[in-house]
Amino acid sequence: MATNPLSNTQGTGKVRQHPTQNEALLFEISAPGKHAYMLPPLDVPSVDAAALLGDTYRMQSAALPELSEVEIVRHFTRLSTWNYAIDLGMYPLGSCTMKYNPRVNEVVARTEGLAEAHPYRPESLAQGALEVIDLLQRCLLEITGMDAITLQPAAGAHGELTGIMLARAWHESRGNARKKVIIPDSAHGTNPATAATCGYTVENLKSNAEGGIDLEALARQVDEQTAALMLTNPSTLGVFESQVGKIAEILHAKGALFYMDGANMNALVGKTRPGDFGVDVMHLNLHKTFSTPHGGGGPGSGPVACKKFLEPFLPIPVLVQDKNGAKRWQYDRPQSIGRVRSFYGNAGVFFRALAYILANGPDGLRQTTEDAVLNANYLRKKLEDLYELPYKTASMHEAVFSDKRQAARGVKTGDIAKRLIDYGFHPYTVSFPLIVHGAMMIEPTESEPLEELDAFVAAMRAIAREVEETPELVKTAPHSTRISRLDEVQAARKPILRWKP
Ligand SMILES: *Cc1c(COP(=O)(O)O)cnc(C)c1O
């Protein structure tokens, strides 16, 4: 089996097989009296914890495993080597833009004045950090072509919610919140969830044969009760919506707003700006497009940028500059939708994203976009003879195949994805977008060198051959991991989430 030499070491035998190297060891090697670092005895008057905590005061020690420090360190270090990461190899999880996180970002984010800045620090003593936040805002406005921005939302979905709340507040200020939000059938599941959470009815818009918006269908659907259209551009099919200007016209003619889900901006940065093609409000995913670490529960950042007329509704506080040049947070904004998060957002993410933007510069960002699109199209070209391409429209940052040919032999997209693990790659995105039956959504990003792309192509081609010759091998994959196929139904219905003594 051709394993990818640049990827992880799973199954190569390079990792020493320790006798205790199985899942539950931390608990099994526990022994009474073992302990790690101990705090020195208390040398200040102690408070009466029982009085302070009332009912929540624990009278007996928790039933936790007892271990020495080195055992704990080894346990977690070992677990970390069983994981997959962008630092081990290509992570082609479509729609997630799993790009490399440059180490210079980390250096910048650890700058003392930024990393140690407390959110309660007086503004007069935080001018440096505020200046940096302001610079990021200006960079993102330049990139998107929008007029105003908030960095508060903590993720893309949170940005969507904020953006549609802005749209709703604007409609309400004109006397009618309106009733519905139109969402194409290729959208990310968070889009309809957002619209529904904001009190809107979700109306589905069917994509045309090219995977784009059917303008006539849209024109029929938009009316005086339409609050907004939420459009992902490029779409989750990796297709750029070339009629985007006309879409804006159709919406604006009926007083509806144009929301753009900007999670796929990695295909547009430095090339075209949503603000220039009629978008009124959008979100960005700093943890996708702007290279901040992604996954593991965050923290993320989903800034929302909007046109001037929506600015009064932005969450408070808004960063403003006084006449003397001093920056401060402005809270007195009567039309604001209020706070959407504590403090100002995930500041550590801002600094990483800004470092990435400044390190690349305008030309570097444009090159990044071109490389991301080039890499996706390279994979598409190298695989399209073996895997079905449901939409032939040109690809932007990702290519979406389907398992149609393999499914004829009983092998599904999920099987192929799991087999990729044996070849040392993280799986691509499975079964999304929903409009492609058996979808295989592949997004390499610009980070991947040609050698890594070729290793991925070789793996995908080898798997296609296995589907013909030894389909059982693929259907029972992965074979190189410590745990093979899970019973997914049991795992979802009856998950065992904690150890019990
Ligand atoms: C990732 C993504 C989102 C949601 O972003 P989160 O940061 O995961 O909340 C929304 N829309 C699209 C198209 C995405 O790819």
Side-chain angles (χ1 to χ4, degrees):
M1 184 181 68
T3 46
N4 171 8
L6 300 171
S7 291
N8 69 6
T9 54
Q10 281 178 359
T12 62
K14 268 185 252 157
V15 179
R16 183 169 60 110
Q17 292 296 314
H18 191 275
T20 57
Q21 197 164 344
N22 49 40
E23 294 72 47
L25 82 167
L26 196 61
F27 300 98
E28 275 63 37
I29 60 175
S30 166
K34 282 196 206 176
H35 62 78
Y37 179 76
M38 299 281 279
L39 292 172
L42 203 60
D43 60 358
V44 292
S46 64
V47 293
D48 183 353
L52 215 70
L53 295 174
D55 282 352
T56 57
Y57 186 65
R58 201 197 291 272
M59 302 303 290
Q60 270 145 6
S61 298
L64 295 174
E66 293 177 68
L67 295 146
S68 67
E69 182 169 317
V70 68
E71 288 171 307
I72 298 167
V73 167
R74 283 180 184 159
H75 172 76
F76 286 107
T77 304
R78 191 177 296 126
L79 281 185
S80 77
T81 69
W82 296 358
N83 214 341
Y84 192 83
I86 187 66
D87 290 346
L88 288 167
M90 179 167 151
Y91 207 126
L93 195 63
S95 202
C96 292
T97 315
M98 303 300 285
K99 64 170 71 180
Y100 171 66
N101 316 123
R103 291 307 185 266
V104 66
N105 297 358
E106 301 303 317
V107 175
V108 170
R110 281 164 179 69
T111 305
E112 201 185 332
L114 299 175
E116 313 261 294
H118 193 282
Y120 282 139
R121 181 181 286 185
E123 284 161 355
S124 61
L125 300 177
Q127 287 297 307
L130 295 183
E131 177 68 39
V132 172
I133 291 173
D134 180 61
L135 181 58
L136 174 63
Q137 293 194 158
R138 284 185 282 130
C139 288
L140 296 177
L141 289 176
E142 177 66 27
I143 287 167
T144 56
M146 307 297 278
D147 303 322
I149 192 165
T150 174
L151 303 181
Q152 255 185 56
H158 195 193
E160 291 172 33
L161 183 74
T162 306
I164 294 299
M165 283 171 77
L166 295 182
R168 190 179 176 103
W170 178 76
H171 282 299
E172 268 169 1
S173 75
R174 293 154 50 94
N176 180 6
R178 302 195 168 197
K179 293 209 160 58
K180 65 181 189 188
V181 169
I182 301 176
I183 302 179
D185 54 6
S186 60
H188 198 264
T190 50
N191 290 188
T194 289
T197 305
C198 286
Y200 287 115
T201 308
V202 176
E203 259 189 24
N204 206 27
L205 180 64
K206 233 172 105 53
S207 300
N208 63 20
E210 286 78 47
I213 298 276
D214 180 335
L215 288 185
E216 282 168 26
L218 178 70
R220 278 196 301 276
Q221 219 164 327
V222 180
D223 60 23
E224 268 74 28
Q225 286 307 330
T226 308
L229 166 79
M230 293 181 84
L231 181 76
T232 307
N233 197 22
S235 73
T236 52
L237 291 167
V239 172
F240 185 77
E241 186 52 73
S242 54
Q243 309 273 18
V244 78
K246 296 224 176 67
I247 292 172
E249 278 172 29
I250 292 171
L251 293 166
H252 293 154
K254 293 282 163 76
L257 298 190
F258 188 177
Y259 184 93
M260 188 176 115
D261 180 329
N264 292 339
M265 274 296 284
N266 210 41
L268 303 188
V269 175
K271 287 297 198 181
T272 182
R273 309 193 311 166
D276 297 338
F277 56 66
V279 169
D280 300 304
V281 49
M282 66 177 292
H283 79 266
L284 294 162
N285 286 54
L286 298 190
H287 46 288
K288 291 180 181 172
T289 316
F290 299 97
S291 85
T292 74
H294 185 170
S301 180
V304 171
C306 63
K307 288 283 170 63
K308 194 88 194 153
F309 69 95
L310 291 171
E311 189 176 16
F313 306 97
L314 284 176
I316 47 166
V318 171
L319 191 58
V320 295
Q321 186 168 322
D322 287 335
K323 282 194 194 71
N324 63 6
K327 301 209 160 45
R328 65 182 171 83
W329 294 108
Q330 189 181 60
Y331 290 82
D332 182 19
R333 299 177 68 91
Q335 287 189 289
S336 167
I337 59 168
R339 268 189 185 285
V340 297
R341 194 189 180 282
S342 56
F343 300 115
Y344 319 112
N346 284 325
V349 180
F350 305 164
F351 307 140
R352 288 173 176 84
L354 182 62
Y356 170 84
I357 290 169
L358 296 180
N360 274 295
D363 294 339
L365 289 176
R366 191 173 304 114
Q367 183 72 49
T368 294
T369 301
E370 288 170 4
D371 291 347
V373 173
L374 180 64
N375 279 0
N377 280 281
Y378 182 76
L379 293 183
R380 169 174 162 158
K381 208 76 211 146
K382 292 278 184 181
L383 295 173
E384 67 186 359
D385 60 324
L386 294 180
Y387 294 95
E388 185 78 12
L389 256 186
Y391 292 91
K392 307 287 183 280
T393 323
S395 291
M396 296 288 286
H397 61 297
E398 60 197 354
V400 180
F401 294 96
S402 90
D403 64 10
K404 194 168 171 195
R405 293 182 217 174
Q406 290 71 31
R409 302 194 55 92
V411 180
K412 303 272 175 57
T413 175
D415 302 320
I416 299 164
K418 288 193 199 306
R419 186 64 180 142
L420 262 179
I421 298 171
D422 289 334
Y423 283 88
F425 292 98
H426 192 281
Y428 49 77
T429 291
V430 172
S431 306
F432 176 76
L434 299 176
I435 53 171
V436 175
H437 188 77
M440 307 165 60
M441 187 194 219
I442 302 174
E443 181 183 14
T445 84
E446 72 282 3
S447 305
E448 300 311 325
L450 182 60
E451 291 74 10
E452 183 76 356
L453 295 175
D454 283 339
F456 179 77
V457 167
M460 288 294 287
R461 298 191 70 87
I463 296 170
R465 201 162 49 242
E466 289 169 359
V467 170
E468 299 301 320
E469 293 164 4
T470 50
E472 270 314 298
L473 183 67
V474 182
K475 284 162 77 173
T476 50
H479 303 288
S480 63
T481 48
R482 279 165 186 81
I483 299 174
S484 192
R485 289 256 170 152
L486 295 174
D487 180 337
E488 289 180 10
V489 177
Q490 278 285 99
R493 297 267 160 80
K494 292 191 182 145
I496 301 167
L497 299 176
R498 73 184 184 100
W499 178 81
K500 287 189 191 137

